[in-house]
Amino acid sequence: MNRLSKPLKILIGICVSLVACAIAAFFFFHYLVTKSYPVTTGELRIDGLHDRVDVYRDPYGIPHINARDQHDLMMATGFVQAQDRLWQMDLMRRAGQGRLAEIFGDSALPVDKLIRTLNFPGIARQLVDHLHPESRALLEDYAAGVNAYINGNTGKFPVEFDMLNYRPEPWSVEHSLLISRLMAWELCLAWWTDLAYGDIATRVPLEKLLEIIPGYPDSLPLTAPLFQLKKSLTGIEPLLKAGRLYCDLFGLEAPSGGSNGWAVDSSRSLTGKPILANDPHLGMPVPSRWYEMHLSAPGWNVSGVTIPGLPLVVIGHNDHVAWGLTAAMIDDADFYIEKIDSLHADHYLYQKSSLPFQERTERIYIRSRDSVTLDVRSTIHGPVLNDVHPMLVKKVNPTPPQEVITMRWTGFESSDEVYGFYRMDIAKDKDEFSAALRDLTVPAQSVVYADDQGTIAFWTAGRVPVRGKQNAMLPLPGWTGDAEWNGFVPFDQLPHAVNPGEGFIVCANQKLASQSYPYYLSTLWEPPSRAERIRELLSSAGKFTTDDFKQYQQDVYSPYAKDVALLLLHIYDSVKVDDPMLRGALTYLRNWDYKFTASDIATTIMNTFFVKLMHNTYEDEMGPLAFEYFSFLNAIPYRVTAQLLASDSSSWWDDVSTPERETRNDILKKSLSEAVQTLGAVLGPDMKTWQWGSMHTVTFHHPFGNRKPLDKVFDIGPFPIGGGGTCIDKTEFRFSSPYAVSVGPSMRFIVDLSRPEEAFVVNTSGESGQPYHPHYSDQTPLWLNGGYVEMTMDWQEITASHWDHLILSPR
C-alpha cells in the first residue's frame, strides 16, 4: 500500500479545510440572510394591541389585515411592513435625517450636507406640530407597530444591518413624515430644470437660451437681471452633483414624475361601471417603492399600494371608489440669487432693507472618522444652497461672494397629507373624496377617480404658487421683491374635470390647461406622445374591459418617434445613399410600425440615432457636464428637440467646433450615420441582430448593488425589455448613458367598479425586501410579461383560502 507523500497530504489538508470553510461560510451567510424572514403563520403576542388581528398572506406574500378597530389596524400595518421592509424603511428615514454617512462613510457626506441644508428634520418637526389629531393617532399607532417588531426581533434583523454593523433605532411619527416629504422632494422637477438652465445660462448667449426654453415664446419673458449675474450661478454645478449622487445611491437613476392614468365611464365599459387604470413612472430600485396591502377594520376596507414607512394606501380602491395618481408636473419651486450686504457680511439685501441671515449649525457623524460641522444660512426665500459646498467660496472665489443661491419650495410649507390619504382611503363618494384632496399639497398630483355610482373625474391636487411676471424656469433676483409668490391657487380653481362628455379621462403628464388659464402652472410637461396614444386607444372602440386596459398598459407605439422618423426619411427622399449599412437602416425605418418592441430592429436604429442627435445638437455649446444635467430629465430635451426640429433656422444646429455652418438636415444625417456606425461596431454588421432588447435592459438596483459582487446578490436583472420614453409603456433611459432603463412603470393597477372588491396589481419586484426570500422578486416575471396579481377584498374568499395565516394577539 502506497503512502501519500507529505506535500500531497498538506495539499489535501488545505483543500479539505478550504471546502469546509466554504461550506461554513455558505451556511453562515444563509443564516444571516434567512434569520430575518418574517413569521407568517401561527400566533405572535404584541404589547399594545386591543384585540386579535388576522393577517393573511396570498401566494405573492401580499398581506390582508383584518382588525377589530383602527388602532389595531395601524399597529398591525406597522408590524407587517417592518417584517418585510425594515431596512428600506430605516434607510429612507436616515436619508431624510441626513445621517447616511454614519453607515456609508464619506461617500454619502454630500447627500447628508444637502439634506441638512434643506432641513428635512426641521420640516418633519414642523409637520408634527401641524398634524390633525386623527393623523397623529394613525402615525403613533403605526410607529407602535414598527417598534413592536424591532423590540421583538433583536438579533434577527435583515442582513443589511449586519453588513453595516448597526441596529435600527425606535420609530416615531416624525420618521414617517420625513419619508413622505423626502419622496416629495424626489419629484421636485424644478430642482433639476431651474439649476440646469441656470448653469446653461452661464455658457450660451441669451438668444440661444431662449430657443431651448420649453414652450417658448408662450412662456413668460425672462427677467433681465439674471444675465447680469452669471458669476453667481457658478455654484450650481455641485448642487446638481449632490442630487445626482442621491439618485444613484437609491437606484432612482433619474428624477421622475411621469405616469399614466385614465378612466372610462359606465357608457364606455362593457360591464356598465367605470374602469380605472394607473401606472406611476418612477426609478427602478429594489425593494420597490411600493408595498401592496389590504387593510380592513370597522369603517375601513381599502386595498392598493402603500409606501413603506407610511400606513395608508396611496393608490388603490375601497368598496366604493378607486383612484390613481399621476404627476401634475407643477413648477413648485423657485431659486433666488440673493445679494449680500457689502457692509455686513452676515446680512443680505431685500428690497430696501438689510436683513440678517438665519443661521444654524449641523453636526454630521461619519462612519470610521470624526464628525464634521455644517453652517447653514437661510433667507426669507429659503436655505442658502451654496453652503452645501463651502469649497465654492474658497476655491472658485478667493474673496467672499457677493451673491448666493436660495431655494423656495412648496414642500417647506406645513401640510397634512396623512389626513388627506386617510380620508381618501375611507371615502364613500365623489364629495368625500374631493374634500380629502385639499390636504394633498406636495408633490402636486393629477388624481384620476372613478366610483361605483358611475362618476369619473380628475383633480389637480397640490400647492401651486401664484407668481408675477417672472420666468420660473431660471434663478430669479431675490433682492428686488419683484419675483415673490403671492399665495397659492385655490383648490377649486385648479384644473379638474367631472364626467366629461367624451366618456373618458386621460392624465399622462400633459399640459393641464389652455393659454387662457389665469395662473402659471408649469412648463415642465411631458411630450404629448403618451397622452395622444391613450386618447387614440380610448377612441378606438365603443366599450372596454380590464383586459383591454392590460394591453394598453403594455402599449409601445410612439407617436413622437413616428414624427421624427418621417422627418428623417423625408431628408433622404431625393438623396442617393451609397453606404449599404445606411441604406439598410433606412429600409428598416421605412417599414417600421413605430412600435418599440424588444425584438425590433428599427427601434434600435431610431433610439441610437436620437441619442446621437442629442449630443450633436447640444453638447458642443453646453459642454458634456451641462448637457448631462440638461438631459437628466428627459421630458425637457424631448420637447425642446421637437421645437427645434420644426425649423431649420435654429443656431443650435450649427456645430460650433467646425468652421462650417451646419443645418438641421446636416445634423440629422450626421446623427444617423454615426448611429449606424456605432451599432455596427457594438452589435456587429448583421442588422438582424440589432434587436432593441439586446441594448435596452432593465435592472432593479439595490443600494448595495453599486459594489461588485454584491450586485449578484441584491440586484434583480438585467432583463431585455421593450418600450421607451415616449410610449405608454414608458421605459426611458438617460441620453447621457444609454440604454439601460432609468424610469419605468413602478407598478400597474386596474380596477373595474362593477366588482370593486377586486383589482389587478403588479409590482416591479415583490413584497419582501430581503434577498433570496421567495417574495423578493416573484412579481418581476409578471411585470416583465404583462401579468398581474388579482387582489381581492372579499373576506369570505380570503378566510376560505389556504393562504398563510398569522394571528397577532395582545400580550
Side-chain angles (χ1 to χ4, degrees):
M1 179 176 178
N2 295 327
R3 293 186 177 183
L4 297 176
S5 66
K6 185 174 182 180
L8 185 57
K9 288 181 179 179
I10 294 173
L11 179 61
I12 292 173
I14 292 173
C15 292
V16 170
S17 298
L18 289 175
V19 170
C21 289
I23 293 173
F26 170 80
F27 281 106
F28 179 67
F29 182 74
H30 181 267
Y31 167 75
L32 287 179
V33 171
T34 61
K35 66 181 171 58
S36 58
Y37 285 2
V39 175
T40 59
T41 59
E43 182 175 2
L44 294 175
R45 294 192 176 275
I46 296 176
D47 287 331
L49 284 177
H50 294 164
D51 205 337
R52 162 178 167 156
V53 179
D54 292 284
V55 181
Y56 292 84
R57 289 181 183 258
D58 74 8
Y60 287 91
I62 298 171
H64 297 250
I65 302 176
N66 190 17
R68 274 60 172 178
D69 63 24
Q70 182 172 288
H71 166 273
D72 284 1
L73 179 65
M74 291 296 100
M75 272 201 70
T77 299
F79 186 89
V80 169
Q81 282 190 3
Q83 280 188 305
D84 284 326
R85 301 288 188 93
L86 181 61
W87 190 73
Q88 179 188 28
M89 293 161 58
D90 184 79
L91 186 65
M92 292 303 297
R93 164 175 61 175
R94 283 185 169 274
Q97 292 173 317
R99 296 177 56 199
L100 291 173
E102 291 180 23
I103 58 174
F104 290 127
D106 284 284
S107 62
L109 184 58
V111 175
D112 283 351
K113 287 184 174 182
L114 176 60
I115 295 300
R116 298 290 186 95
T117 298
L118 295 173
N119 197 24
F120 280 95
I123 296 171
R125 291 190 294 270
Q126 172 184 314
L127 294 177
V128 170
D129 293 339
H130 289 83
L131 285 176
H132 187 280
E134 194 77 57
S135 302
R136 183 183 291 272
L138 291 166
L139 294 178
E140 286 176 346
D141 295 339
Y142 172 82
V146 176
N147 290 329
Y149 178 79
I150 293 174
N151 295 334
N153 286 273
T154 299
K156 296 181 180 180
F157 298 127
V159 67
E160 291 95 336
F161 289 104
D162 297 311
M163 295 175 71
L164 294 171
N165 193 30
Y166 79 104
R167 62 161 288 151
E169 297 171 359
W171 197 267
S172 73
V173 169
E174 186 178 303
H175 298 150
S176 293
L177 297 173
L178 271 174
I179 290 176
S180 172
R181 198 50 51 105
L182 187 65
M183 288 194 69
W185 176 71
E186 290 175 8
L187 298 177
C188 177
L189 305 180
W191 173 266
W192 299 96
T193 56
D194 290 22
L195 293 178
Y197 272 89
D199 188 34
I200 295 169
T202 68
R203 304 170 187 270
V204 304
L206 170 60
E207 60 273 11
K208 288 186 76 76
L209 184 70
L210 296 181
E211 288 189 78
I212 59 170
I213 297 289
Y216 186 86
D218 293 334
S219 56
L220 297 170
L222 297 177
T223 48
L226 169 70
F227 296 96
Q228 301 166 12
L229 292 169
K230 285 191 174 185
K231 289 183 179 179
S232 67
L233 296 176
T234 56
I236 286 176
E237 186 179 294
L239 301 176
L240 291 166
K241 285 183 177 180
R244 169 70 178 269
L245 177 60
Y246 175 87
C247 290
D248 290 343
L249 183 63
F250 287 96
L252 302 180
E253 295 292 337
S256 50
S259 302
N260 299 314
W262 67 83
V264 296
D265 66 17
S266 301
S267 70
R268 309 297 300 277
S269 165
L270 198 61
T271 63
K273 291 290 185 180
I275 307 175
L276 180 144
N278 184 213
D279 55 294
H281 302 155
L282 297 170
M284 299 278 100
V286 60
S288 166
R289 280 301 177 84
W290 303 112
Y291 183 77
E292 296 144 299
M293 299 189 84
H294 168 206
L295 309 178
S296 186
W300 288 74
N301 197 32
V302 62
S303 176
V305 293
T306 65
I307 296 169
L310 290 159
L312 300 167
V313 170
V314 176
I315 296 172
H317 65 111
N318 61 32
D319 294 324
H320 303 285
V321 308
W323 68 94
L325 303 180
T326 69
M329 312 301 284
I330 297 300
D331 189 347
D332 59 2
D334 280 330
F335 294 82
Y336 292 86
I337 300 165
E338 312 280 10
K339 282 189 175 182
I340 296 177
D341 188 338
S342 59
L343 300 178
H344 304 283
D346 58 350
H347 283 58
Y348 64 97
L349 302 179
Y350 181 69
Q351 295 182 336
K352 297 181 180 180
S353 300
S354 176
L355 303 178
F357 285 103
Q358 294 179 332
E359 299 181 351
R360 71 178 193 279
T361 299
E362 298 276 349
R363 180 169 294 278
I364 303 174
Y365 294 93
I366 307 170
R367 181 178 181 139
S368 302
R369 77 174 182 89
D370 294 338
S371 63
V372 299
T373 59
L374 175 70
D375 295 323
V376 181
R377 297 175 292 169
S378 297
T379 72
I380 60 171
H381 296 122
V384 174
L385 300 179
N386 305 65
D387 296 344
V388 176
H389 295 272
M391 57 168 263
L392 293 170
V393 176
K394 297 175 183 176
K395 296 182 179 179
V396 176
N397 297 311
T399 58
Q402 296 304 303
E403 299 93 20
V404 293
I405 301 171
T406 60
M407 176 188 184
R408 184 170 187 187
W409 173 46
T410 58
F412 294 144
E413 308 282 335
S414 294
S415 58
D416 190 354
E417 281 73 24
V418 171
Y419 190 54
F421 281 114
Y422 160 68
R423 293 199 291 161
M424 289 163 63
D425 281 5
I426 63 173
K428 297 180 180 62
D429 56 35
K430 173 180 69 68
D431 293 338
E432 290 184 3
F433 188 87
S434 62
L437 297 180
R438 296 174 183 272
D439 287 307
L440 304 191
T441 66
V442 59
Q445 298 289 307
S446 292
V447 183
V448 185
Y449 168 91
D451 65 32
D452 60 356
Q453 300 301 307
T455 297
I456 63 171
F458 100 88
W459 293 272
T460 305
R463 283 203 176 108
V464 178
V466 177
R467 294 177 170 95
K469 295 298 182 182
Q470 68 267 29
N471 186 294
M473 281 286 288
L474 289 159
L476 303 163
W479 67 93
T480 65
D482 297 332
E484 302 304 309
W485 294 359
N486 300 305
F488 301 99
V489 179
F491 175 79
D492 294 327
Q493 297 181 36
L494 292 171
H496 63 280
V498 178
N499 292 327
E502 58 190 345
F504 61 80
I505 283 172
V506 175
C507 291
N509 318 117
Q510 74 271 32
K511 190 174 181 179
L512 291 176
S514 67
Q515 289 299 113
S516 62
Y517 186 72
Y519 301 106
Y520 167 76
L521 295 172
S522 184
T523 57
L524 306 177
W525 321 111
E526 290 264 343
S529 183
R530 286 184 291 114
E532 290 175 2
R533 178 59 173 167
I534 296 170
R535 293 187 64 86
E536 177 185 349
L537 291 172
L538 296 182
S539 302
S540 65
K543 295 182 183 292
F544 301 92
T545 67
T546 55
D547 286 339
D548 294 322
F549 283 15
K550 290 176 185 178
Q551 292 182 25
Y552 297 167
Q553 286 186 333
Q554 322 298 321
D555 188 85
V556 293
Y557 179 89
S558 172
Y560 186 100
K562 176 182 179 180
D563 291 342
V564 175
L566 291 177
L567 174 63
L568 177 63
L569 291 171
H570 180 65
I571 295 172
Y572 287 93
D573 282 347
S574 57
V575 176
K576 182 180 179 182
V577 178
D578 296 322
D579 182 350
M581 295 285 284
L582 181 58
R583 195 164 57 243
L586 290 169
T587 299
Y588 273 108
L589 290 174
R590 288 192 178 100
N591 292 286
W592 191 25
D593 59 4
Y594 314 112
K595 292 181 179 179
F596 285 36
T597 58
S599 60
D600 192 62
I601 311 302
T603 302
T604 308
I605 296 169
M606 170 53 64
N607 280 286
T608 310
F609 154 76
F610 200 81
V611 169
K612 298 293 184 182
L613 180 64
M614 294 292 99
H615 286 275
N616 290 334
T617 304
Y618 304 109
E619 195 169 13
D620 54 313
E621 283 98 337
M622 294 181 184
L625 198 56
F627 168 76
E628 180 178 346
Y629 291 121
F630 166 71
S631 62
F632 205 49
L633 182 64
N634 282 17
I636 299 302
Y638 269 127
R639 286 181 54 211
V640 168
T641 303
Q643 291 173 196
L644 297 184
L645 286 172
S647 170
D648 196 20
S649 60
S650 173
S651 61
W652 283 96
W653 296 124
D654 180 41
D655 184 348
V656 298
S657 65
T658 68
E660 301 82 17
R661 182 174 178 82
E662 286 81 8
T663 65
R664 177 193 66 186
N665 290 1
D666 292 333
I667 297 301
L668 290 172
K669 289 192 287 187
K670 175 185 178 183
S671 300
L672 182 60
S673 294
E674 289 179 351
V676 171
Q677 292 171 12
T678 297
L679 289 171
V682 174
L683 299 180
D686 184 359
M687 287 189 176
K688 293 179 181 179
T689 66
W690 293 7
Q691 295 185 343
W692 180 223
S694 65
M695 300 176 64
H696 187 56
T697 61
V698 61
T699 301
F700 305 102
H701 288 290
H702 186 281
F704 283 11
N706 294 326
R707 294 189 177 184
K708 298 182 181 300
L710 295 179
D711 58 324
K712 303 301 182 184
V713 175
F714 291 95
D715 286 356
I716 303 171
F719 305 102
I721 194 170
T726 55
C727 306
I728 296 176
D729 188 8
K730 181 182 178 184
T731 55
E732 70 179 35
F733 56 86
R734 286 178 182 167
F735 293 129
S736 58
S737 55
Y739 294 87
V741 174
S742 59
V743 171
S746 57
M747 70 92 178
R748 298 185 180 105
F749 168 65
I750 301 171
V751 61
D752 183 338
L753 272 300
S754 69
R755 294 183 59 82
E757 72 278 7
E758 295 181 353
F760 299 96
V761 186
V762 67
N763 214 335
T764 52
S765 50
E767 287 290 88
S768 176
Q770 304 182 60
Y772 297 117
H773 190 279
H775 300 311
Y776 186 65
S777 60
D778 57 338
Q779 293 188 49
T780 301
L782 295 176
W783 185 89
L784 288 168
N785 296 292
Y788 294 79
V789 177
E790 187 172 347
M791 285 185 65
T792 181
M793 297 194 301
D794 185 336
W795 278 106
Q796 286 189 341
E797 178 182 342
I798 294 168
T799 55
S801 71
H802 297 288
W803 298 351
D804 284 358
H805 179 201
L806 175 66
I807 299 171
L808 302 178
S809 301
R811 189 184 299 275

